[in-house]
Amino acid sequence: LTTCACLLANAKLMDREKEELVDVTRPYTPISTNVQVGCFDLLIKDYGENGWMSKYLCEELEVGGTVEFKHIDFNVKIPAPFKHKKIGMIAGGTGITPIIQALHAVLGTGPDDQKSSTESIALLYGSRSSDDILGGEMLSSWAKDHESKFTCVDVLSNEPEGTGYEGETGFIDKAKIQKYFPPASEGEDVIIFVCE
């Protein structure tokens, strides 16, 4: 599976209105490195009653239950290794999953044939609140372990007062992009990834 690839998950779930089993298909991007063979890891946000597949995967799937997965080649936009020296990444919510997969390649935790020669990466990750940050521990660990190469900036749009959060607030905008990303004047050495 190439870096930044997507899988389609399919399961037969009960349609509450029709009262019959129907096929439900949703895309997911594995967050595991491609050196992991025989299995993969998914980061899934549980949307409760509003998320048919996520509710099934997070709350209802029993040991021995079945979910089918299929790889779709055409979904890979820019496969690793990345040739750019500097990468800016913008992610919102569950859009962090393909970014995590790309970070495996850029930070050297992926397979050798997908490792990148990138020198610096800045990630602006938009979430509603600190409770909504997906993969936060992994991202913080990478930022600490690769502090000279990787910067992760959370941007929270609806953080309640009194939580102690002191980072960026509001939305990812031009000012934040100019503050954290390399300038476009660096030309071919820079690329920006966006996944919402």
Side-chain angles (χ1 to χ4, degrees):
L1 190 64
T2 57
T3 296
C4 298
C6 177
L7 297 174
L8 292 180
N10 181 273
K12 293 201 176 292
L13 302 179
M14 182 60 68
D15 184 321
R16 293 178 210 110
E17 292 178 14
K18 296 179 182 178
E19 295 184 5
E20 63 184 42
L21 289 176
V22 296
D23 282 311
V24 176
T25 303
R26 298 289 186 271
Y28 291 97
T29 303
I31 62 165
S32 46
T33 174
N34 289 341
V35 296
Q36 185 173 314
V37 177
C39 62
F40 55 87
D41 299 328
L42 296 175
L43 177 61
I44 301 170
K45 181 174 181 175
D46 186 354
Y47 289 96
E49 294 300 320
N50 295 324
W52 215 355
M53 180 67 82
S54 69
K55 181 174 172 43
Y56 175 69
L57 293 174
C58 295
E59 298 177 25
E60 300 170 356
L61 180 62
E62 296 180 11
V63 173
T66 301
V67 178
E68 298 173 340
F69 289 93
K70 177 182 178 181
H71 175 235
I72 49 176
D73 288 333
F74 65 85
N75 194 49
V76 179
K77 309 299 187 248
I78 304 174
F82 309 117
K83 64 179 182 172
H84 307 87
K85 291 181 182 176
K86 297 178 181 179
I87 298 176
M89 298 177 159
I90 299 172
T94 57
I96 195 65
T97 58
I99 297 296
I100 288 173
Q101 199 179 67
L103 284 169
H104 276 297
V106 176
L107 297 176
T109 55
D112 287 341
D113 66 341
Q114 291 185 10
K115 287 188 180 174
S116 172
S117 60
T118 302
E119 297 169 359
S120 67
I121 311 107
L123 167 63
L124 291 174
Y125 179 25
S127 301
R128 288 187 181 98
S129 67
S130 53
D131 291 341
D132 235 11
I133 298 171
L134 302 174
E137 287 182 28
M138 180 185 303
L139 295 169
S140 294
S141 176
W142 279 340
K144 181 180 176 189
D145 293 346
H146 302 277
E147 65 181 305
S148 64
K149 185 174 186 174
F150 175 53
T151 302
C152 180
V153 179
D154 291 311
V155 181
L156 305 182
S157 63
N158 199 22
E159 180 71 0
E161 290 186 28
T163 63
Y165 178 74
E166 297 178 2
E168 295 284 357
T169 58
F171 295 95
I172 298 171
D173 56 19
K174 182 179 178 178
K176 291 177 185 71
I177 291 169
Q178 289 176 333
K179 180 177 178 181
Y180 293 102
F181 283 9
S185 62
E186 294 189 29
E188 294 295 315
D189 286 338
V190 175
I191 191 168
I192 307 299
F193 294 160
V194 179
C195 194
E196 302 181 271

